[in-house]
Amino acid sequence: TDTTGLKTIAWQHKGVFLGTDRQPYRSSRTHRSDFNLTRELTIYQILDASLLSGKELRFSISVRSLIQEGKAELIVVTENQNVISKEIEFDENKEWSYEELRADIEENSGILIAGLKVQGDTDLYIDKLKLEYRKGLSDWTTYPLKNPELAFEAPEVLESWEINRLGIFEYRSTDHTEPLNKSFRIISKPKLFSQTPSVGETAVQQINETLWSEVPLALYGTDEFTLPQSLSTNEDIKQIELNKITLDDESLRLANIIIAWNVFQHFYPYFDVVDVDWDKVLETALLRALKDQTANEFLKTLQWMVAQLQDGHGVVTCQEATQLFKPPIRVDELEGEFLVTASQVDEITVGDIVKSIDGISARQELNNRLELVSGSPQLRGYRALNMFAAGYKENQAIFELEKVSGKTETVRVSRTSTANLFSSMLEFDYSAIEMIDDDIYLINLRKITRTDFEEHLGKLSSAKGIIFDYRNGSNSSFSLFDLVPHLTDKEVQSPNWYIPELIYPDRRNIKFDYSTWNISPKLPHIKGEKVIINSPGVVSSGETLMSIIDHYELATLIGNSTAGTNGNTNYIDLPGSCRIMWTGMKVLKHDDSQLHLKGYKPAYFIKRSIKAVRDNRDEYLEKAIEVIIGNAN
């Protein structure tokens, strides 16, 4: 009856934090900043890099902090995310102080950002924000910052400034004492977002015909405990030594299923577009786990369960399970047959048709793999074929083949290549960059580096056409993020990111934190025809770029549909040795239509033929050339 001095304690989840630091996902209680809650606010403005390249910058500010524990710094971010910063030293007497950051900007600098970054507990006044520049030792010239007074164009919206934040901040213009009459105030809050449950709200759930549960969603408490205080010490739980329990233990297998199922039940963001009876999945997964005897068997049960979510990021690993290997070949399904499209063994030739593996038909082998792969239909097919004929290394694979000659042969091949969901052997391994037709260039994104690209950028910008081969991913030192600025003459925007904000179970009354980001153009502009060859293996960050390219029509897409999977991944580290990767946020296309499962369809879909493979023809490349020269059907 007396709540004096008590706080309301309730959980908030932005996505969900499960013990592995996966920005931007966070979980926290409303009455305090939990150990895993990072509160960070960045207010920044994109600058005119052409005006400031090769100059010295002086970025200055007046500050007054009422809380000494927080941190604030002036930042300048140059191309390639090179951050120059100066931490602001707060006056111990909470009076106004002056800080400045100086930075030398390289010649021909690309994107350039200046702003203020605030972290932790904050109650900060700022004013007199000023940016100046000079060449050598000449006089300082004031840079025309937009809205240097930090005035609002709408509540919570600063005119001409971008705001990124993690956690809850209030920021507003406020009257203040002399010498600065009006300043901008930033206050951090311990909450992740504004929505919270109230004391008295409960979650009521029917468990079966006669049993119900009711769980409070908010309680009164202090910094040390909630009310009423528990008399239990959980000594039995504390004595469980998880590091000594293996997946041979039935209890551990059942616990893994229950934990993983619940994470998805409450936090998976795509049940609105995935058709699955998730309650039935729980029943089936528990029954399978009861029958399993080994880590290898249980890994398949977890993979099966995650496959029902149709999440292209849904990948399961268990350290106790045995590593799988496969013969060094690649197989694709063409014209209803399973054709060898690449081979590093003498017994199997490109163009051979696989009829069976270890006595199992090739069709059944693919179906068995499909059952354990999560994602869209196109991604599941791609990854299942990457695992085709996988098994234990000590066992040779027995292939029944229809040879190119038409004869039937049975061959044994050792499994020497690590079986990998994400990639397989290359069929065509082109150079990083080469001219393949009259003024038409092919760029192999798997090989090209940023240095290669920049060295050839002059001739690429005026070429008749460029083909970007994305079938095998991109080099770690080059991505389409390096390419897109040269494909556009105006600023372009990313797709739409929606991080779930949850306070209720079973995904009830979800709100979303919405955000996008921008890419600015960069010279020289590539003027010729652009074609990108895609495959279902283009996933996640690759689809971020495809979204931009597709929406703004920056290039023609050919090949196959992309994976239909995007958004920051999250992880479930289960007791024992298993880990599940999954998608923790919702991503939509630029027009807010569904991306998940659908991906980006090509303007020209390539349906390969057995004859072309046997003739060593690259039908994707042939079609790309046709598109550029203008005679593609």
Side-chain angles (χ1 to χ4, degrees):
T1 56
D2 183 8
T3 60
T4 304
L6 298 180
K7 300 178 179 180
T8 299
I9 301 173
W11 277 97
Q12 293 182 312
H13 303 278
K14 191 168 185 177
V16 63
F17 179 85
L18 297 168
T20 301
D21 191 14
R22 297 298 299 172
Q23 296 279 16
Y25 305 124
R26 289 288 178 243
S27 296
S28 182
R29 282 166 284 196
T30 54
H31 68 303
R32 70 186 192 202
S33 298
D34 280 334
F35 71 96
N36 66 323
L37 174 59
T38 299
R39 283 171 294 152
E40 184 174 289
L41 173 75
T42 305
I43 300 174
Y44 67 92
Q45 192 169 123
I46 299 174
L47 309 177
D48 182 356
S50 63
L51 178 63
L52 301 174
S53 292
K55 308 285 179 38
E56 181 186 6
L57 299 190
R58 183 167 68 182
F59 190 24
S60 58
I61 193 173
S62 291
V63 296
R64 179 175 184 262
S65 179
L66 302 185
I67 297 177
Q68 301 293 309
E69 289 78 10
K71 177 183 177 182
E73 54 187 338
L74 292 170
I75 59 170
V76 171
V77 183
T78 64
E79 193 173 18
N80 304 325
Q81 297 299 305
N82 180 29
V83 179
I84 306 167
S85 64
K86 172 68 184 301
E87 185 171 348
I88 295 172
E89 295 184 8
F90 301 136
D91 184 89
E92 293 181 358
N93 298 317
K94 301 179 182 179
E95 298 296 333
W96 288 94
S97 60
Y98 170 85
E99 288 285 355
E100 70 176 40
L101 164 68
R102 295 199 181 193
D104 293 319
I105 306 303
E106 296 180 354
E107 294 283 356
N108 303 316
S109 178
I111 190 168
L112 189 62
I113 290 170
L116 176 72
K117 185 174 183 179
V118 177
Q119 295 173 292
D121 292 337
T122 304
D123 189 348
L124 183 68
Y125 293 88
I126 64 176
D127 207 340
K128 295 193 173 180
L129 202 60
K130 189 175 185 180
L131 181 66
E132 301 165 286
Y133 63 94
R134 69 180 180 181
K135 185 78 170 180
L137 297 177
S138 60
D139 293 337
W140 291 101
T141 300
T142 300
Y143 177 86
L145 279 174
K146 298 176 183 177
N147 187 22
E149 300 83 13
L150 299 173
F152 289 89
E153 57 181 332
E156 298 282 296
V157 180
L158 281 173
E159 181 182 352
S160 303
W161 291 87
E162 301 289 335
I163 299 177
N164 289 340
R165 60 182 175 180
L166 182 63
I168 289 292
F169 288 84
E170 292 180 2
Y171 37 93
R172 57 183 182 268
S173 295
T174 179
D175 291 329
H176 201 64
T177 57
E178 294 293 343
L180 304 174
N181 294 324
K182 196 166 187 179
S183 58
F184 181 73
R185 188 178 185 186
I186 302 172
I187 308 170
S188 64
K189 301 289 185 180
K191 296 187 294 184
L192 283 171
F193 44 84
S194 58
Q195 182 188 23
T196 61
S198 303
V199 173
E201 285 193 82
T202 62
V204 180
Q205 186 75 32
Q206 185 174 6
I207 297 173
N208 59 29
E209 292 182 359
T210 60
L211 184 63
W212 293 68
S213 70
E214 184 173 12
V215 179
L217 298 178
L219 297 170
Y220 288 117
T222 68
D223 286 336
E224 288 76 36
F225 54 82
T226 55
L227 295 173
Q229 284 186 267
S230 172
L231 299 177
S232 170
T233 59
N234 294 323
E235 289 301 326
D236 289 342
I237 291 178
K238 291 179 181 178
Q239 293 186 30
I240 297 174
E241 298 183 78
L242 283 175
N243 61 330
K244 294 185 179 180
I245 303 177
T246 68
L247 292 174
D248 296 339
D249 189 294
E250 178 183 281
S251 297
L252 184 63
R253 297 196 302 272
L254 295 176
N256 277 199
I257 295 295
I258 292 167
I259 292 168
W261 185 91
N262 271 284
V263 170
F264 295 124
Q265 167 67 11
H266 301 296
F267 301 106
Y268 183 54
Y270 286 113
F271 278 120
D272 61 328
V273 295
V274 171
D275 184 15
V276 59
D277 184 342
W278 194 235
D279 287 341
K280 182 64 176 177
V281 169
L282 174 61
E283 179 182 335
T284 303
L286 288 171
L287 290 172
R288 286 184 59 145
L290 284 169
K291 294 177 182 178
D292 293 336
Q293 298 296 315
T294 66
N296 293 337
E297 292 171 348
F298 182 66
L299 172 59
K300 290 183 178 180
T301 293
L302 276 180
Q303 289 173 330
W304 174 86
M305 183 176 78
V306 173
Q308 309 315 302
L309 294 169
Q310 302 172 52
D311 178 9
H313 283 137
V315 177
V316 185
T317 56
C318 293
Q319 293 178 10
E320 291 180 40
T322 306
Q323 172 68 57
L324 295 180
F325 291 81
K326 58 177 288 187
I329 66 169
R330 179 169 181 163
V331 174
D332 201 355
E333 185 178 0
L334 306 180
E335 301 178 27
E337 302 285 0
F338 293 88
L339 192 75
V340 176
T341 57
S343 175
Q344 293 179 354
V345 294
D346 296 335
E347 298 89 342
I348 300 178
T349 305
V350 171
D352 289 348
I353 295 172
V354 179
K355 292 298 185 180
S356 70
I357 307 283
D358 298 332
I360 301 172
S361 72
R363 172 65 59 193
Q364 188 59 49
E365 165 69 8
L366 179 63
N367 289 341
N368 292 344
R369 303 294 171 186
L370 285 169
E371 284 189 357
L372 305 181
V373 178
S374 195
S376 62
Q378 64 270 23
L379 181 61
R380 291 176 65 231
Y382 173 84
R383 288 182 172 173
L385 285 167
N386 287 343
M387 297 296 291
F388 194 85
Y392 300 126
K393 192 172 187 178
E394 61 270 20
N395 299 332
Q396 285 190 315
I398 304 172
F399 285 87
E400 181 187 355
L401 302 172
E402 180 184 310
K403 301 292 288 182
V404 175
S405 64
K407 294 182 179 180
T408 299
E409 291 186 10
T410 300
V411 300
R412 293 176 177 268
V413 180
S414 295
R415 292 180 164 101
T416 57
S417 298
T418 302
N420 189 329
L421 276 175
F422 306 106
S423 62
S424 188
M425 286 181 56
L426 302 179
E427 294 181 39
F428 300 97
D429 193 14
Y430 298 105
S431 302
I433 181 168
E434 59 181 294
M435 186 186 292
I436 57 167
D437 207 311
D438 181 26
D439 204 25
I440 297 175
Y441 290 87
L442 172 67
I443 292 180
N444 182 349
L445 292 171
R446 189 183 67 86
K447 283 187 175 181
I448 196 166
T449 65
R450 184 179 292 110
T451 301
D452 294 332
F453 180 70
E454 290 174 352
E455 287 179 354
H456 292 86
L457 193 50
K459 62 183 179 184
L460 293 175
S461 65
S462 59
K464 178 193 299 183
I466 306 173
I467 301 165
F468 299 94
D469 189 351
Y470 206 16
R471 287 173 288 182
N472 300 298
S474 62
N475 190 298
S476 60
S477 65
F478 182 83
S479 77
L480 292 184
F481 288 100
D482 299 300
L483 169 64
V484 166
H486 297 284
L487 301 183
T488 179
D489 56 5
K490 63 180 181 180
E491 188 173 79
V492 296
Q493 193 174 70
S494 75
N496 304 318
W497 316 100
Y498 293 89
I499 303 177
E501 295 181 343
L502 303 110
I503 60 173
Y504 299 111
D506 303 314
R507 308 173 311 283
R508 289 191 286 110
N509 300 326
I510 298 179
K511 297 184 182 298
F512 290 92
D513 178 34
Y514 163 82
S515 65
T516 63
W517 41 262
N518 300 324
I519 297 179
S520 298
K522 186 184 293 186
L523 295 175
H525 180 64
I526 296 176
K527 305 178 185 65
E529 292 291 327
K530 282 83 66 177
V531 175
I532 297 177
I533 305 175
N534 276 331
S535 78
V538 176
V539 63
S540 200
S541 63
E543 288 193 290
T544 298
L545 275 300
M546 285 310 123
S547 178
I548 296 169
I549 289 168
D550 178 79
H551 178 73
Y552 293 100
E553 299 180 347
L554 304 182
T556 301
L557 309 185
I558 75 164
N560 302 96
S561 294
T562 61
T565 297
N566 202 357
N568 291 54
T569 56
N570 207 337
Y571 289 92
I572 308 170
D573 286 314
L574 294 167
S577 69
C578 296
R579 162 178 272 202
I580 301 174
M581 180 173 74
W582 58 291
T583 307
M585 68 166 65
K586 177 172 286 191
V587 181
L588 300 177
K589 294 184 178 181
H590 281 74
D591 60 0
D592 282 337
S593 64
Q594 179 182 336
L595 164 66
H596 191 71
L597 301 180
K598 293 188 175 183
Y600 292 92
K601 295 182 179 180
Y604 298 88
F605 182 84
I606 308 300
K607 189 173 183 180
R608 305 176 70 193
S609 67
I610 293 175
K611 184 178 187 307
V613 172
R614 289 177 171 174
D615 291 344
N616 196 34
R617 288 173 40 220
D618 187 345
E619 292 168 286
Y620 295 92
L621 189 56
E622 292 173 355
K623 179 61 69 176
I625 295 172
E626 290 176 6
V627 170
I628 289 174
I629 63 179
N631 64 353
N633 296 320

